[in-house]
Amino acid sequence: MSDVKKVVLAYSGGLDTSVILKWLQETYGCEVVTFTADLGQGEELEPARRKAEMLGIKPENIYVDDLREEFVRDFVFPMFRANAVYEGEYLLGTSIARPLIAKRQIEIARETGADAVCHGATGKGNDQVRFELGYYALEPGIKVIAPWREWDLNSRTKLLDFAEKHQIPIAKDNRGEAPFSVDANLLHISAEGKVLEDPWETAPEYVHTRTTAPEDAPDQPTRVTIDFERGDPVAIDGQKLSPADLLAKLNQLAGDNGIGRLDIVENRFVGMKSRGVYETPGGTILLAAHRAMESITLDREAAHLKDELMPRYAKLIYNGFWWAPEREMLQALIDKSQEHVTGQVRLKLYKGNVIVEGRRSPESLYSQEHVTFEEDTVYDQRDAEGFIKLNALRLRLSGRQK
Amino acid sequence: MSDVKKVVLAYSGGLDTSVILKWLQETYGCEVVTFTADLGQGEELEPARRKAEMLGIKPENIYVDDLREEFVRDFVFPMFRANAVYEGEYLLGTSIARPLIAKRQIEIARETGADAVCHGATGKGNDQVRFELGYYALEPGIKVIAPWREWDLNSRTKLLDFAEKHQIPIAKDNRGEAPFSVDANLLHISAEGKVLEDPWETAPEYVHTRTTAPEDAPDQPTRVTIDFERGDPVAIDGQKLSPADLLAKLNQLAGDNGIGRLDIVENRFVGMKSRGVYETPGGTILLAAHRAMESITLDREAAHLKDELMPRYAKLIYNGFWWAPEREMLQALIDKSQEHVTGQVRLKLYKGNVIVEGRRSPESLYSQEHVTFEEDTVYDQRDAEGFIKLNALRLRLSGRQK
Amino acid sequence: MSDVKKVVLAYSGGLDTSVILKWLQETYGCEVVTFTADLGQGEELEPARRKAEMLGIKPENIYVDDLREEFVRDFVFPMFRANAVYEGEYLLGTSIARPLIAKRQIEIARETGADAVCHGATGKGNDQVRFELGYYALEPGIKVIAPWREWDLNSRTKLLDFAEKHQIPIAKDNRGEAPFSVDANLLHISAEGKVLEDPWETAPEYVHTRTTAPEDAPDQPTRVTIDFERGDPVAIDGQKLSPADLLAKLNQLAGDNGIGRLDIVENRFVGMKSRGVYETPGGTILLAAHRAMESITLDREAAHLKDELMPRYAKLIYNGFWWAPEREMLQALIDKSQEHVTGQVRLKLYKGNVIVEGRRSPESLYSQEHVTFEEDTVYDQRDAEGFIKLNALRLRLSGRQK
Amino acid sequence: MSDVKKVVLAYSGGLDTSVILKWLQETYGCEVVTFTADLGQGEELEPARRKAEMLGIKPENIYVDDLREEFVRDFVFPMFRANAVYEGEYLLGTSIARPLIAKRQIEIARETGADAVCHGATGKGNDQVRFELGYYALEPGIKVIAPWREWDLNSRTKLLDFAEKHQIPIAKDNRGEAPFSVDANLLHISAEGKVLEDPWETAPEYVHTRTTAPEDAPDQPTRVTIDFERGDPVAIDGQKLSPADLLAKLNQLAGDNGIGRLDIVENRFVGMKSRGVYETPGGTILLAAHRAMESITLDREAAHLKDELMPRYAKLIYNGFWWAPEREMLQALIDKSQEHVTGQVRLKLYKGNVIVEGRRSPESLYSQEHVTFEEDTVYDQRDAEGFIKLNALRLRLSGRQK
């Protein structure tokens, strides 16, 4: 066990991270700094502060931050500029929150002179990787503690025993085992494990908490207009909103209309497949709207280059490489493409469907005079012959080869 | 005007290709062979035969072929193995039919000793490119005639005048101009032009002909199971079906449930953007089901390699390069990946939504013992530490550089 | 023939562009502005000015510019940051000069109020595409004149007749046909056509003009040190040099040592294969040196991402898409990667060989303590086990599938 | 220490693997099977057999195999079909031998009923990964022993002490430490470590053993012709040779002429940079010749697709993923492209230079009639106008946007 003086713990206030808190004090004999962030997960933060105090953390060692605006502005929106989707479907809701938590933990470690950081992710998942790659990239010499890989509290019973022994309060609903595991922030909520482990079984309706079932959504569609500026959404139905408020508003609209559910088997970075049920209501609208906005403002080859690089970009975020040079290089490419992605998209929301009805832009590349079936002067149809002939030349030579 | 002796015309039996037929005879003074194919567009073929006869084509020069099974088996299914989607959304319904038509026209040219082929696509669209790249790749020395780029019948009035002058029958509904232009086959139906030209305007409901509006679809969901073998669907609800029958059945199920509509602005190969409204009911189900089947049977990196190459593969098909060496190379890669994509997918269809509820396979790579939260022996959580440490090493060195 | 008032001609002062000059006046009845650029091709520019005057061009319509520094700084160096090589071998010497010429022609068109531009490239090559894509991208409404595709002077005899008829002086060595065609600038000189047309025949020694044959180069090696700052070379043997002077110096060193010859068959954008003999002496050193500099300063995945995108970037330049959005996006990605590519490279030059002997950097990522065979503390070999185990996990699951 | 009954050891007969042999017996108390392969490393195998006997291995447990032909035919040649080069320069000489060794070890494990395999690679390098990924992919349940990561013989002194204590003979030149570490097979020989650790220092001449220094190579060039069939070399100067004989012959020719040296800093899969000095004489010729063969027989877009995927393919081999599904998929794509890569290449070898002088093929795509400057009928220069105009259309629209 290496020597640790002070550790910054990503602390939710829940049972698990409270046990970790005590375990750190006991195992490492070190000072613990707690860091609790509001990323829009929908929980009060003050109880976490009080619980940290109750567990003996000094007030100056308790950090509680509202990071919602930074989260959406500097992480969610840049990612959506790329239309990032992992394995064709997953909108990366959990993945994109981790780099921000890691960054803030390292900042606090610097502020408090801590020599270690600690997270509560297990040894089987992706989150441990995302946290730790962030820590190491931002502070190469930092000491990382991952209790779930180190301790022997590897069953529910042992964990509860430890909690009782150390007088950590146990909420009633923490007594039994949760039927699945959850992660939440302003972009999404995820469920995995236990009742979801058999991928042939239908996910029970009760795992969904942010979206109405399509069957129960209103029978009348909702229409909404989103304004974009340089690739980012800035207004809904004409009303300018801050990034976090805008995403919250989209979550409301989408959730009400049964939009944003996903049930997939995905490939983890650590090697196995896992089944997850995700709800990303606002993000689902945003992806469709952003694509529609790009469809009239982005050059063809710019769009195709983005499409070809997107899976790689999404994989970097999924695997935890947000702070890696190659992600920053791809971001530079993506951001360069968004200079003219400005305008409006009109959408219809109805029982799980996001339907694009219209798009317009002061910087549109769509040229009605070029597509019209009417006679025209801007496009000479005879040009197509030369275009085809030269594109065909190599095929004709190859055809002779066969 | 170069010398042409015999030309194979892609002939629908409609007004436009009938005018082309006459124009070819008159302009080139050549023998005309008509080729009419059933690709599942939903029209009788015999009227086309009778019309060709009426326009003076010799019986031995009239070809009418049912290509539905070949179309689905050798073109649609191979494309779906790749999960091909153009520009994030378009399922390539028109694009994938062109290479087969080109191939059959060249075969007929060889059988009949024709030295030219002719199509009825305009000079502004993608289809002229798709047809002609196919012709040239398969028969490098063929002569290609594209009347819309050559003649002066470039208005509705001139076309009708020509038809009347040559006693070509004009159906009542051909008198006025169609409010939009249509292409159809067993995979999809498309609409573009005229009433759809302003991309800010909502597409009218009447352009949709294969799908019920989500609002009008049944209030009760439909459930369906699809069986796959080596990447291709082979049965629905346990019933083995031929490729064309299977796709027709999926079209029925999807159309009834409001599934498969799309309204996009896309980038044409010839350089401009155009707005299209597509219905691909069965294909929309198939894409979701195939992805779900792959999710448990395909290795992670195999899947990611496919995802990264998919936009390029889709672009090749969109641009008309089906018969190009690079498409064949990509197909070899894709087909190699499908050896174990075998099993079953359960889906729920409901008012425009295709919801995956379950997937299973005798060749599944999903390992419940690896993901379970229970204690286990197959996976040592401590391995994750080394995995992270070595993945982080380069980031730590880069971190020091900054 | 469309109406043209004033045209900016890329004018070399040679016979061909002098004929074009007269042909423009005669055919279009328009005012001609000549533009002659020094890109380091090694010819005096004043004779071109005098010849233009002699052919009746008004002094204010004669532009003669020394663009060598701009050429190397804004075109050659950015391209070398990408280690751009077309088809594995060609250093793009001709391709990279065209965008600058196009840009300057458009600027002059704006300054002089010209409505058209004209170049002397033939209809079979890549250069016509490179010029014209540049013109259209920078000035969408410009009129482009490409005499070789338009006129009937399509034989040497007709050209000479036209010249004589219009009293254009014909140099003695222009009477006969050149045994091959040449393009030159500060980066390279190319030869193609005629004596080089059979790709099985050895290129004659006399086509080479910038490099000593390796056999005739000095028996003693030359050693040289190059300093880089943020991806660009800035000094040779400790002496700071401007971009153009630095490249000229490298040309001298490489040419003397028989470095930089290439004989290839390449694929043109217009569809056919062609054989070229290139000399890129300084560029060949620069590529090797830049790669060596990156080898210790660039992160692994940053380098690999660059390597994977390089062929696409090189193809864009080869095909003439310098001014396209996708080239600019890739450049943003590449430039982002060069922030720490600073340091020194030591090279040995010997009879055609560029041999890297050493590289060092204040921002080096090379860590001797990590690679040493000695016992160490910074790297725990046991981490490798976990790293391998988790990388192998998916392979083991796949292995069971087989 | 897990239970092991019988282990297959990759055994060179040298000091290190002899120590491992004894250590295995002592530590695991298990039966040891030795496997010694001739991959063309240039050492006698019989001494290894005798040494194994001397160390108490039963005759039926000693495997000595000549794998040279299989190595070149099934591993080297398929890799060269891809023109595989890691990080722009390294020809993967060490990497490509590992998958074959792993495969044969697993085969022997099955034949002998062994439950474990063992290799002598250290915990800092790539080879441990390459061996073990191979083992796990081919036999998911195999037990892997990596002594260098497990034991405490982590210094030269301890190793020698162990050897003496167990009566393992120590050759005189094993007493002192080698000035660098070596790996060799028929494709290449590598040197790294110790005297090479400072990347600013010139590599000493004495690390090179397979190639004459360019300075000492003959003053007269050597000319050679290589025949290819479907992407693989089959004859030299008209003489048909088996794969291993052909590569050996090329090694001779290249080594004599100072060809195939490389001094680089590369990025290891385990995270750090390392400096290596490589000699790949025959491979260097082969790469140049294969590219030249492809230059006239491979379609442009086929070649470009290969070029774009090559870095990824090379990385897979470097990182040890030969037996992974994604490598097999890429191989399918590459092999598909080689169907017409048949013909002859003429080369000049001179003091480190491989100079392509000519290439010809019965399946050539090079069309002299298309490139000639003479008037022609196969190519209409006016087609270029339409080709350029439609390629420019999107750029003109984008130009207006700016």
Side-chain angles (χ1 to χ4, degrees), chain C residues 334-351:
Chain C
I334 290 159
D335 290 354
K336 176 78 186 162
S337 75
Q338 301 292 295
E339 291 173 1
H340 304 282
V341 181
T342 295
Q344 276 188 318
V345 176
R346 287 196 309 108
L347 303 155
K348 180 167 83 169
L349 314 179
Y350 174 70
K351 284 186 184 288

Side-chain angles (χ1 to χ4, degrees), chain B residues 51-309:
Chain B
K51 200 154 172 192
E53 283 170 357
M54 197 195 70
L55 293 168
I57 307 303
K58 289 182 282 185
E60 67 268 30
N61 279 347
I62 300 176
Y63 283 75
V64 176
D65 296 335
D66 181 350
L67 301 177
R68 285 176 296 175
E69 290 294 346
E70 183 178 0
F71 174 51
V72 180
R73 185 187 66 232
D74 295 345
F75 294 81
V76 174
F77 281 0
M79 181 174 78
F80 273 81
R81 282 175 218 146
N83 302 319
V85 183
Y86 182 66
E87 299 191 339
E89 313 199 75
Y90 171 41
L91 296 185
L92 295 162
T94 293
S95 326
I96 192 61
R98 303 320 190 188
L100 172 53
I101 295 171
K103 166 173 167 274
R104 191 70 192 111
Q105 265 183 285
I106 293 298
E107 287 169 355
I108 293 171
R110 287 179 189 149
E111 287 168 31
T112 59
D115 53 347
V117 286
C118 176
H119 64 77
T122 77
K124 290 193 152 187
N126 295 303
D127 286 328
Q128 57 177 339
V129 190
R130 295 166 186 153
F131 282 124
E132 297 179 31
L133 293 183
Y135 300 150
Y136 287 131
L138 296 169
E139 189 63 55
I142 198 78
K143 162 80 185 157
V144 173
I145 302 174
W148 287 97
R149 296 199 307 254
E150 299 181 20
W151 67 22
D152 58 356
L153 306 180
N154 45 8
S155 75
R156 195 75 199 158
T157 316
K158 290 185 191 165
L159 201 78
L160 291 170
D161 286 354
F162 184 97
E164 282 184 354
K165 190 175 140 202
H166 292 81
Q167 293 164 305
I168 299 168
I170 303 171
K172 236 184 222 157
D173 58 356
N174 273 155
R175 282 280 163 200
E177 292 218 44
F180 53 90
S181 155
V182 165
D183 176 70
N185 59 48
L186 195 53
L187 180 57
H188 101 329
I189 186 163
S190 69
E192 57 178 10
K194 303 282 168 53
V195 301
L196 299 171
E197 276 183 15
D198 181 348
W200 179 246
E201 290 298 313
T202 306
E205 178 58 30
Y206 65 75
V207 305
H208 303 94
T209 55
R210 288 217 183 157
T211 54
T212 302
E215 288 90 334
D216 300 330
D219 290 329
Q220 294 306 317
T222 301
R223 282 181 165 85
V224 63
T225 302
I226 303 178
D227 284 30
F228 284 86
E229 279 178 14
R230 299 177 145 254
D232 293 335
V234 295
I236 294 179
D237 290 334
Q239 187 189 358
K240 290 255 174 193
L241 292 168
S242 74
D245 288 347
L246 188 143
L247 182 52
K249 175 75 177 167
L250 288 182
N251 280 337
Q252 186 62 47
L253 288 164
D256 289 349
N257 284 290
I259 289 165
R261 294 181 169 196
L262 180 65
D263 175 342
I264 54 165
V265 175
E266 77 199 44
N267 291 291
R268 288 191 189 154
F269 188 25
V270 290
M272 76 284 279
K273 291 177 182 290
S274 93
R275 194 252 197 107
V277 172
Y278 301 109
E279 293 168 274
T280 321
T284 301
I285 293 182
L286 191 48
L287 177 65
H290 185 258
R291 273 211 169 272
M293 193 75 267
E294 287 191 334
S295 77
I296 59 166
T297 55
L298 209 59
D299 167 73
R300 180 185 71 204
E301 296 302 316
H304 291 186
L305 179 56
K306 282 187 68 203
D307 279 350
E308 289 191 47
L309 293 174

Side-chain angles (χ1 to χ4, degrees), chain B residues 270 301 308 312 326 393, chain D residues 270 301 308 312 326 393:
Chain B
V270 290
E301 296 302 316
E308 289 191 47
R312 178 189 291 252
E326 65 273 24
L393 180 47
Chain D
V270 291
E301 297 302 316
E308 288 190 47
R312 178 189 292 252
E326 64 274 24
L393 179 49

Side-chain angles (χ1 to χ4, degrees), chain D residues 99-381:
Chain D
L100 172 53
I101 296 172
K103 166 174 166 273
R104 190 71 192 109
Q105 266 184 283
I106 293 299
E107 286 169 355
I108 294 170
R110 288 178 189 151
E111 286 167 32
T112 60
D115 54 347
V117 286
C118 176
H119 64 77
T122 77
K124 291 193 151 187
N126 295 303
D127 286 328
Q128 57 176 341
V129 190
R130 294 165 186 154
F131 282 125
E132 298 178 32
L133 293 183
Y135 300 149
Y136 287 130
L138 297 169
E139 190 63 56
I142 199 77
K143 162 81 186 158
V144 174
I145 303 175
W148 288 97
R149 296 199 308 254
E150 299 181 20
W151 69 23
D152 58 356
L153 304 179
N154 45 9
S155 75
R156 194 76 198 155
T157 317
K158 289 185 192 164
L159 200 78
L160 291 169
D161 286 353
F162 184 96
E164 281 184 354
K165 191 175 137 203
H166 292 82
Q167 292 164 304
I168 299 168
I170 303 171
K172 235 184 224 159
D173 58 354
N174 273 155
R175 281 283 162 198
E177 293 218 44
F180 54 89
S181 156
V182 166
D183 175 70
N185 59 48
L186 195 53
L187 180 57
H188 101 327
I189 186 162
S190 70
E192 58 177 10
K194 302 284 166 52
V195 302
L196 299 171
E197 276 183 14
D198 181 347
W200 179 244
E201 290 299 312
T202 306
E205 177 58 28
Y206 64 76
V207 306
H208 303 94
T209 56
R210 288 215 183 158
T211 55
T212 302
E215 289 89 335
D216 300 331
D219 290 329
Q220 295 305 317
T222 301
R223 282 183 166 83
V224 63
T225 301
I226 303 178
D227 284 31
F228 284 85
E229 280 178 13
R230 297 178 148 255
D232 293 336
V234 294
I236 294 180
D237 289 335
Q239 188 189 358
K240 290 255 174 193
L241 292 169
S242 74
D245 288 347
L246 188 143
L247 183 51
K249 175 74 178 168
L250 288 181
N251 280 337
Q252 187 62 47
L253 288 164
D256 289 349
N257 285 289
I259 290 164
R261 294 182 170 196
L262 180 66
D263 176 341
I264 54 164
V265 175
E266 78 199 44
N267 291 291
R268 287 191 189 154
F269 188 25
V270 291
M272 76 285 278
K273 289 177 182 291
S274 95
R275 194 254 197 106
V277 172
Y278 301 109
E279 293 168 274
T280 320
T284 301
I285 294 181
L286 191 48
L287 177 64
H290 184 259
R291 273 210 168 273
M293 193 76 266
E294 287 190 335
S295 76
I296 59 165
T297 55
L298 209 59
D299 167 74
R300 181 185 71 204
E301 297 302 316
H304 292 186
L305 179 56
K306 282 188 68 204
D307 279 350
E308 288 190 47
L309 292 175
M310 184 278 284
R312 178 189 292 252
Y313 175 88
K315 183 176 189 169
L316 286 173
I317 292 178
Y318 185 86
N319 286 354
F321 289 93
W322 179 267
W323 300 110
E326 64 274 24
R327 203 279 310 172
E328 293 172 356
M329 288 162 66
L330 286 169
Q331 195 72 54
L333 177 148
I334 291 159
D335 291 354
K336 176 79 186 162
S337 75
Q338 301 293 294
E339 291 172 1
H340 304 282
V341 181
T342 294
Q344 275 188 319
V345 176
R346 287 195 309 107
L347 303 154
K348 180 167 83 168
L349 313 179
Y350 174 69
K351 285 188 183 286
N353 297 277
V354 183
I355 296 157
V356 176
E357 294 200 317
R359 51 312 245 172
R360 68 178 171 191
S361 166
E363 309 198 55
S364 180
L365 295 172
Y366 179 89
S367 166
Q368 204 153 330
E369 58 182 346
H370 276 90
V371 288
T372 184
F373 285 87
E374 303 302 315
E375 293 178 59
D376 67 279
T377 51
V378 297
Y379 180 94
D380 184 344
Q381 301 206 19

Side-chain angles (χ1 to χ4, degrees), chain A residues 270 301-302 308 312 326 393, chain C residues 270 301 308 312 326 393:
Chain A
V270 291
E301 296 302 315
E308 288 190 48
R312 179 190 291 252
E326 66 273 23
L393 180 48
Chain C
V270 291
E301 297 302 316
E308 288 190 49
R312 178 190 291 252
E326 65 273 24
L393 180 46

